[in-house]
Amino acid sequence: MLTSMTKTDFQKPKTVEEAVTLLKEAGDDARPISGGATLVALMNARLVQPSRLVSLSAIDELTQCTYQSDGSVRIGAMRRHRQTAFESNLKAAHQVVSGAASQIANPPVRNMGTIGGSISFADPAADYPPSLVAANAEIEIAGPEGRRRIPAEEFFLGWYETALEPGEIVTAVILPPVSESSVGQYEKLCRIAGDFALASVAVTIDFNASNTVTSLRLAVGGCGGGPIRVEAAEQALIGTKLELDAVVDAAELVVAELDPIDDVRGSAEYRLKVVPRLLQRAFNNLVETREPAQ
Amino acid sequence: MDGIDMQGVGSSPHRLEIMEKVTGSAEYIADLSRPNMLHAAITQSTVAHAKILGYDISDAMAVPGVVCVLTGEDFPDGRMGAFIKDEHAIAKDKIRYFGEPVAVVAAETEAIAREAAKRVIVKYEELPAILSPEEGLAEGAAIIHEDLDSYIKVFPAISSGNMASYTELNEGDLEAGFAEADLVVEGTYDTAPQAHLAIEPCGALADIDKQGRVTLWSANQSVFRVQANVCESLMMPMGKLRCLTPRVGGGFGNKMEPHIQPLVVRMTQATKRPVKMILNREEDFECVRARHPFKVRCKTGVKKDGTITAREVEVLLDCGAFGDDSPGVLGYSLLMSLGPYRIPNSKASGKLVYTNKLRFGAFRGFGNPQVAFAGETQLDQIAEKLGMDPLDLRQKNLIQPGDVWFGGGQVASNGLQECVDKARAASDWDNRKSRTAPKGKRRGTGVALSAHISGLLGTGAIIRVFEDGSVALNTGAVDIGQGSDTVLSQMCAEALKIPLEKVSLASPDTDGSPYNWGTTASRVTYTTGRAVVGAAAEVEKQLKEHAAQMLECSEMDLELRPGGIVGVSGSDKEVSFHQISLRAHWAAGGPIVGHHTWVFNQPTIDPKRAVCSGIPFPQVGVFSFGCLIVDTLTDEASGKTEVAEAWSAVDVGKAINPSSVEGQIVGGFVQGMGFALTEEMVWDGPKLANPTLLDYKVPTTLDTPYNIHSIIVEAAEPDGPFGAKGAGEIGLVAVPAAIANAIADAIGGHVHSLPMKPEKVLNKMLEIEDAT
Amino acid sequence: MSQPVTLTVNGKTSDVSCGATTTLLTVLRDTLALTGSKRGCNQGVCGACTVLVDGAPMRSCLTLAANIEGQNITTIEGLPEGGDLKPIQQAIIDSDAVQCGFCTSGMILTAHEFLQRNSNPSIDEIRTALSGNICRCSGYRKIVDAVALAASRGGA
Ligand SMILES: Cc1cc2nc3c(=O)[nH]c(=O)nc-3n(C[C@H](O)[C@H](O)[C@H](O)COP(=O)(O)OP(=O)(O)OC[C@H]3O[C@@H](n4cnc5c(N)ncnc54)[C@H](O)[C@@H]3O)c2cc1C
Ligand code: FES
Ligand code: FES
């Protein structure tokens, strides 16, 4: 019988490959630990009791954020929220990700939590998931079979579930190249500063010289099991100049796809009401902040 | 001693214990330990209402390191309760709420105790759970306390079925009052349960000596109430229990009456070893106590010119599973339900109903913020209908110096007018409409007035003069962080004209301290301060008796001089406290010890004026007043509201330590702001759904405006120590109401329900948009 | 399973034996008798347990002792240098920014690190820096003032 008296062993490998082996060895009850901001809280509450903890803290590769020659950015899984919030490599539409990072929890928790840990835990109200979907990010995963990459959209399966197979870990998040004219915005509504999102919206947009939207991605957080991307709404806005009518119509398409529940942060009904309003504000802010530049 | 800062009354010396608090060496309950100490943990019930059929503790006992498991069967049949003695130390025979302690485990480590506590099996026969007062009052409802009739009650309680108490106050002629009115406004208002959330969770540590006498340290607001409650519930002689206090990490009411102290005492008796138990945050949420949810129906009649002619208030309170302080909260809320206004015809009545939830109890404001939310919101609704300025409407009806309170109690000092004038001026109220809001936000300004008492019950002080002429002050009042140790010492220093550093303060101890009912009801500065002043007068008298003999003069000619000196008026002949005390100790008269005790005894109700029933306390206290103005910003997209600025003018009689008073005003404001905007304990069926800080949210720095202006008004209380009266609660009382009025100013309509979270405000905004 | 862990706390290295899931907060309080770090929630929210790990404020309740071998931990007990209070501690005293004191250690450590990074902060920057430390008593005003005071005196 597993009890809190159960012995947990602790490992701190230096390479991804070692980490994967250590996890595989120990089976289903083994867990990687990154910032610990979620996992240790769960252990403190006796909700999980891993047989083995594999710390990812000593793996150099995971702590790097690199700007690649093709313009993509590779954020190592162990990058702390605070680092990502202040990451100078994140420009234009990528700021949807730094914007999300800067709104996670509070300063000491941002010093601890990591992007790998956050997305692996996949809290439906977490800030990275919608921002990574809006940023069209890819998740790099390492497992016993080697490495693979999947789009963020396919990574989040809903309600704390991800595409990670047993023994796999997230090694990096890769943001695709973006054009300088693109913008990104993360809009979060929460009860109190530092709370998880009651609802959030993440958008990235690119425009042509005449301010017409040429590409757009949009995802909503906190309104279902995972980030919700609404392609119909994206399509409806591409080719517009984000006129109010177009935004209102698109917001309706978004609402139709949401699947919120009542929880202590707010009711499902309220989420359905407020998301279109948050979207309008996000678009409005984007349009306004762009205009002076023209 | 001229030119030396004596740090007496009216100055703001730093806290006496400040060095230990900034260096991390202050010891709170969780920091204490004893040799050979056991750690205890509770098993909590997993149903809300049930008969207990039996226990199986064998699994728990089998965990290595477990020393003892106690269940309800191992506890005596004593019952405790501040107003109704309805509560055992632990669930016995019956479970009355989800999360109620049903067993206690002691083990060599906390982890083992917690693990074993999960393995105690309780066999239940479930009963229907009563989860609201309405359900409790319904015909045929399951009865939570079958023996209610036979319980001891310390007041003339009107109770039956699940109704723990009914209270009513009447003055004047209600019908005639409403008949006289040109406008009658009626509304219902409700408030959510709020958690105290002292950052320190509750805990206790007990040890037993070979004679079977127990010493108990705990997070508490009164060592004397702890002693009384433990002894009642465990049927122990009071002399067998000594209660002490470490530093306390915040109170706000939750540590006044007992939490787990009886369990720890029983465990130390059973194991004959020291036993410590510290609740984790979830347990603290689930089984200590919280602020009562209220439903208030309020009806007010006014003339066209704004004169209020009548008010009727009816409240319904969720008591939770045990009476605790609830009958007091009910009675007090009714007493305060007219607000600080002249209302000649009024009726206030209310019911307190047992439910299968954790006990609701005392929380800063004691029922007053809830009725103030109803009454002050309604005044704004009336002002709008009359086309009057909300502050002018209030001004027209203000209780005036010399007026008595609802029920007939005397109000000796009244600085309300000055509070109104100062807040009005400081906030530039009359130009408030010229303030603009940033894009996407709506700005509103709201006002609410308040009154609150300080007082209640017995207290004492002892001052002893050491051989070297400095003094020891012993009151038994627990400083829960609000600063009473410093303030009481300042008063002692002032009364004896000695520097603050010459006063050493004894830590509360039921063996050695004079009685002090507790740190609650904004009472310590006023009631204990009076005892300190009385004891100092006694010391002064004894000092002068000695000095008269030493200086060969009449006592009448002697005066206290700054710095611990007794001198002959108009001459330079003098002796020091040091010289006097040496004589007293070694030669003549005996050591100098002054003491004073008293009980607050001004009647609350004047039977010639008011007709009342079910009143929980005949003597309440003296009155503090406040006027609060707030500016808020409401987000148009979400309905989320933040406070932008606040001006809180509070009449405290005399600010003994102005900086501490500011701390109370601002701290109370922010706690009230949480109550107004975000804080809410939510139940999912019988179970509390948000017993964690991740789910129950209190304001952080970013949710709190920097500009909360404290405006101290000093209308001296004639019998208060140096004129002082209470400051602990008054700053919170008006907060939800003022914020509600500001939001209404911003969006054009009132939200009648606390907390005014984004959802409720947005719905109101949409409702108003739809209507126009 | 206990394993030996070497921790460097306030400049002093000690070998402690603890389980893999034992938090730094538990080791500090129960093994090293450094009780200045407080447990208010054990979940990372209240901030009462905040300590500096390699100079950065972190939650000791969410930090596994086994995971921070070799890193420098500073607790409130280790803050004064040569017995002298740090400027932020003195400013907290001078601003009367303490009531019950339960949040104080975490506040001081968080503010201390912040002031080292930002010696001339605005009120809003201070509010942001302290937003992960809950104080239920003070309403924050005097704490924010204390940080501003320490900054105006040029210290951390
Ligand atoms: C007080 C508080 C407030 C918070 N508020 C927010 C908020 O507002 N928004 C928000 O988004 N988040 C919030 N969080 C969560 C925070 O962002 C966490 O840091 C994050 O969710 C987990 O990251 P971590 O690195 O600490 O992961 P850990 O706690 O170390 O791990 C979390 C889980 O993921 C697994 N895991 C860790 N790393 C990997 C990996 N590389 N590959 C595979 N699995 C892995 C672990 O086994 C574990 O199951 C909050 C947390 C706290 C304590
Ligand atoms: S105890 Fe660590 S944050 Fe509350
Ligand atoms: S002083 Fe009590 S919590 Fe901050």
Side-chain angles (χ1 to χ4, degrees), chain A residues 274-291:
Chain A
V274 81
V275 165
R277 303 171 76 92
L278 294 179
L279 271 172
Q280 277 178 36
R281 185 163 66 190
F283 286 126
N284 210 357
N285 287 348
L286 283 174
V287 170
E288 274 181 10
T289 46
R290 262 181 67 81
E291 263 159 14

Side-chain angles (χ1 to χ4, degrees), chain A residues 133-252:
Chain A
V133 169
N136 198 13
E138 284 192 314
I139 314 296
E140 184 189 271
I141 296 169
E145 320 296 328
R147 300 212 184 185
R148 62 186 178 117
R149 273 191 188 196
I150 58 171
E153 248 182 292
E154 291 164 28
F155 180 81
F156 299 105
L157 303 180
W159 306 112
Y160 304 94
E161 265 194 61
T162 66
L164 285 172
E165 298 290 337
E168 285 189 325
I169 61 170
V170 169
T171 44
V173 168
I174 291 113
L175 306 182
V178 286
S179 80
E180 269 176 36
S181 57
S182 67
V183 289
Q185 171 94 4
Y186 184 71
E187 192 83 27
K188 177 178 182 180
L189 174 65
C190 45
R191 296 172 295 173
I192 284 283
D195 190 13
F196 276 92
L198 207 162
S200 66
V201 300
V203 291
T204 57
I205 315 180
D206 203 357
F207 300 87
N208 65 15
S210 61
N211 267 344
T212 301
V213 174
T214 53
S215 70
L216 183 147
R217 286 176 71 94
L218 159 175
V220 178
C223 289
I228 296 173
R229 178 177 171 215
V230 186
E231 280 174 78
E234 294 171 356
Q235 290 310 319
L237 288 168
I238 293 172
T240 72
K241 292 190 162 143
L242 297 179
E243 297 85 354
L244 185 62
D245 283 357
V247 170
V248 169
D249 290 348
E252 252 170 57

Side-chain angles (χ1 to χ4, degrees), chain B residues 693, chain C residues 25 38-50 59-62:
Chain B
L693 280 175
Chain C
L25 179 60
K38 303 299 178 195
R39 192 187 313 267
C41 68
N42 223 25
Q43 209 184 15
V45 192
C46 75
C49 69
T50 307
R59 303 302 203 213
S60 61
C61 72
L62 298 183

Side-chain angles (χ1 to χ4, degrees), chain B residues 466-515:
Chain B
F466 291 123
E467 289 94 315
D468 67 0
S470 59
V471 305
L473 172 64
N474 189 354
T475 69
V478 178
D479 189 330
I480 58 175
Q482 89 286 26
S484 57
D485 281 359
T486 309
V487 159
L488 294 173
S489 300
Q490 281 179 264
M491 289 198 269
C492 179
E494 180 79 26
L496 294 173
K497 295 205 167 100
I498 54 178
L500 183 60
E501 60 180 35
K502 296 287 184 194
V503 179
S504 66
L505 191 86
S507 183
D509 178 347
T510 52
D511 273 4
S513 300
Y515 184 79

Side-chain angles (χ1 to χ4, degrees), chain C residues 33-101:
Chain C
L34 296 170
T35 55
S37 306
K38 303 299 178 195
R39 192 187 313 267
C41 68
N42 223 25
Q43 209 184 15
V45 192
C46 75
C49 69
T50 307
V51 300
L52 305 181
V53 177
D54 285 343
M58 299 208 188
R59 303 302 203 213
S60 61
C61 72
L62 298 183
T63 303
L64 296 183
N67 207 11
I68 47 164
E69 272 193 309
Q71 290 179 274
N72 284 310
I73 299 147
T74 307
T75 70
I76 187 72
E77 289 89 350
L79 204 58
E81 236 167 340
D84 290 340
L85 295 182
K86 281 281 193 286
I88 181 63
Q89 289 172 301
Q90 190 58 49
I92 291 268
I93 295 175
D94 294 339
S95 306
D96 294 323
V98 175
Q99 291 192 25
C100 81

Side-chain angles (χ1 to χ4, degrees), chain B residues 22-35:
Chain B
V22 299
T23 55
S25 57
E27 286 191 319
Y28 302 81
I29 187 67
D31 306 329
L32 304 186
S33 70
R34 307 279 294 166

